[in-house]
Amino acid sequence: MTQRHRVSRAALGLDTYAPTPPHSGRSSPYPGYHHPSSSDGTPFGGTRFADDLEGQNDEAIEGLGAKVKLLKEITIGIGNEVRESTVQLSQMNNAFAETSGILAGTFRRMNNMADRQGCRWLWYITFLISVFCFFIIVWWFRR
C-alpha cells in the first residue's frame, strides 16, 4: 500500500497574507468603515465622502456647462457665417449673370460689325502688327 504524504497549506504558501497597503488618504464609500489608523475607532463619515463626491460632481457640471455654452456660441457663429455666405453667393450669382449678359451682347455686336466690314479688319490688324514690329526693330538697333 502506498503512503500518502500530507503537506500543510502554509508550506504551499496558501495561508500567507500580503501586508495591507498604506492608506491613500481617501475616505471609504462604505458608511460604517473604520480606518485602522484612526486612534479613537470612529468611522469616517459617509457623509463627508458623499459631500466630497457631490462637490466634485458640481465642479464637473460647471465645467461641462461652460463647454456647452462655448459650443453653443461656436455653432451660432457658424450659422451666422453660413447665412452671410449664402447672401454673398446669391449676390455674386446675380452679378455674374448680369456680366454674362453684357458680354454676350458685346460679342454679338462685334460679330455683326465683323460681318459688315468683311476682310478689312484683318488688313488693319496686319498693318498694326507690322508697324509694331518696325518700331521694335528700330529700338533694338538703337540700343
Side-chain angles (χ1 to χ4, degrees):
M1 206 169 191
T2 60
Q3 280 191 336
R4 292 178 133 182
H5 293 284
R6 209 166 229 298
V7 179
S8 68
R9 290 177 61 91
L12 292 174
L14 298 175
D15 286 341
T16 59
Y17 295 105
T20 307
H23 181 58
S24 65
R26 294 182 287 191
S27 58
S28 172
Y30 306 112
Y33 177 74
H34 296 285
H35 192 271
S37 67
S38 64
S39 60
D40 58 353
T42 59
F44 279 112
T47 57
R48 184 179 130 216
F49 180 73
D51 289 342
D52 289 345
L53 283 180
E54 190 173 338
Q56 290 173 358
N57 286 342
D58 290 341
E59 290 174 6
I61 287 172
E62 288 174 5
L64 288 174
K67 290 177 183 178
V68 167
K69 183 178 178 184
L70 180 65
L71 284 174
K72 182 180 178 184
E73 291 173 0
I74 289 172
T75 54
I76 288 172
I78 289 172
N80 291 338
E81 185 68 28
V82 166
R83 280 190 285 282
E84 291 172 5
S85 296
T86 303
V87 168
Q88 288 178 351
L89 284 174
S90 140
Q91 291 172 349
M92 286 176 58
N93 189 22
N94 293 339
F96 284 141
E98 184 180 327
T99 304
S100 68
I102 291 171
L103 287 175
T106 302
F107 282 121
R108 188 177 59 248
R109 286 192 297 273
M110 283 179 55
N111 284 335
N112 289 339
M113 182 183 69
D115 288 341
R116 278 187 262 140
Q117 293 212 355
C119 250
R120 291 172 72 190
W121 62 274
L122 183 61
W123 291 111
Y124 288 132
I125 290 176
T126 307
F127 175 73
L128 287 175
I129 289 174
S130 62
V131 168
F132 182 72
C133 289
F134 176 75
F135 281 118
I136 293 293
I137 291 170
V138 170
W139 173 78
W140 185 269
F141 284 120
R142 293 218 26 146
R143 260 192 338 148

